[in-house]
Amino acid sequence: MDDKKRGPKLHTKILSGLFIGAALGIIANTQLGGKHPLVEWTNHYVAGPAGQIFLRLLFMIVMPLVFASIALGVAGLGDLRRVGRVGGRAIGYFLVTTFLAAATGLVFVNVLKPGSGLAQEVKAGLMETYAGDASAKIGLSRAEGFGIGTFVNIVTRNPVKSAADGDMLGVIFFGLMFGAALTLIPAAKARPMTDLLESLNCAVIAIVGMAMKLAPLGVCALIFGVTSRFGFALLRPLGGYVLVVLGALLFHAAVNMSLVLRLAVGLAPSLFFSRVRSALVTAFSTSSSSATLPAAMNAAEEGLGVPPHIAGFVLPLGSTMCMNGTSIFEGITVIFLCQVFGIDLTLGQMGVVIVMAVITAVGAAGVPGGSIPLLVGILAMFGVPGEGIAIVLGVDRVLDMSRTTVNVFGDISAAAYVARAEGLWNASMVPGRAVRAAPGLAATQA
Ligand code: ASP
């Protein structure tokens, strides 16, 4: 965005914000303590409001962005068979990468067994400290139970209410229907509406630009809020578990996804990473795939040159359905808690864990802690008491930041994959290294 201007590039500023916020937060936490009045004051009056304003700016534009980009994406694809093919490719990619992620997590947790060494008194202490939080999550899990109703609810009764409630799938569904309808009515009647949607989309993207200018400050504030209050003491007893989750996330991004990028997307992982890092830092600091959607669209379209009607169609779907990092986290956490509670799982049950991790990752909302209520539901299937979630809640924020980053990595790679599979984009069209741009694309990138 303002990358072209003089001075440090936006992504460098965002990354600096991340490091400065993290460093200040860690210093405050270790020198003063998370509950020190000065730290609490700073969080209440400075970092909290600044972080919230940034987050709210992102959330403010998510729903109009999703509606306009999905409707335009579908209308832009033209005929409904093509929409089905693009959707099928996207969902296929989501499922394959999510499955790969869950399987990787299971290998890590079974080989390293972080749960078998957890001392009895640590387990009891954690369950006592986080009992209140855990019962709130169990309540949510009952309310949000995953089942046939989840699918029926996608067909929204009231798209305005869905948008107001942050029900992304409802808005996506309405956008799909609306876009499809635009392809079915006479072109002369559809044109004014597509023009209006184009304008809405452009205006929303301009707001994204403004919000992203605040990103260095917002990211710094959000990270300060987390690190200054984080219970670093918890990292010791749960260190093994945290390292296994982080190790599996890193392995998935650096090995599995690098291979997928090379083989299926035809892109060097380092180039991909360098073009999307602002979005990854936004994901890390917000812990929300939905809040990161505007930054992810920006990265895919401007950073990688993916055509807007493909990015606008695949990314909103991905931000709620493609959660590689979440499936790693869910699989590992289920097995970890089984290890802690001394429950041995058969190979068949491990297979069920993978399948459930994939299904719930698809169903989880792209908000901070969105997967926890679904995770509580899986735990019950294997005889782990729902309250057991209390053991990991204290370290969840740091894991949430990391898994959301991997989720967004997967989303953007999906957009590039689908664009390539559709023959609309390839690595040579990445802006800044374009060797030859297709004439149709040059216009969309202008
Ligand atoms: N925070 C994650 C996301 O937005 C969801 C989760 O795993 O809790 O992608």
Side-chain angles (χ1 to χ4, degrees), residues 145-155:
F146 191 80
I148 189 72
T150 316
F151 296 99
V152 175
N153 286 338
I154 293 176
V155 184

Side-chain angles (χ1 to χ4, degrees), residues 287-290 323 326 364-372 400 403-404 407:
S287 293
S288 167
S289 296
S290 300
M323 297 203 179
T326 295
V367 295
S371 56
I372 301 285
D400 200 0
R403 65 182 183 255
T404 306
N407 290 346

Side-chain angles (χ1 to χ4, degrees), residues 283 286-292 318-320 322-323 325-327 329-330 361 364-373 396 399-401 403-405 407-408 411:
T286 59
S287 293
S288 167
S289 296
S290 300
T292 309
S319 71
T320 168
C322 179
M323 297 203 179
T326 295
S327 75
F329 160 77
E330 299 211 351
V367 295
S371 56
I372 301 285
D396 187 52
L399 299 181
D400 200 0
M401 294 175 3
R403 65 182 183 255
T404 306
T405 310
N407 290 346
V408 171
D411 300 344

Side-chain angles (χ1 to χ4, degrees), residues 49 69 109 113 204 218 241 335 413:
S69 58
V109 69
K113 295 195 179 4
V204 170
Y241 161 72
I335 308 282
S413 69

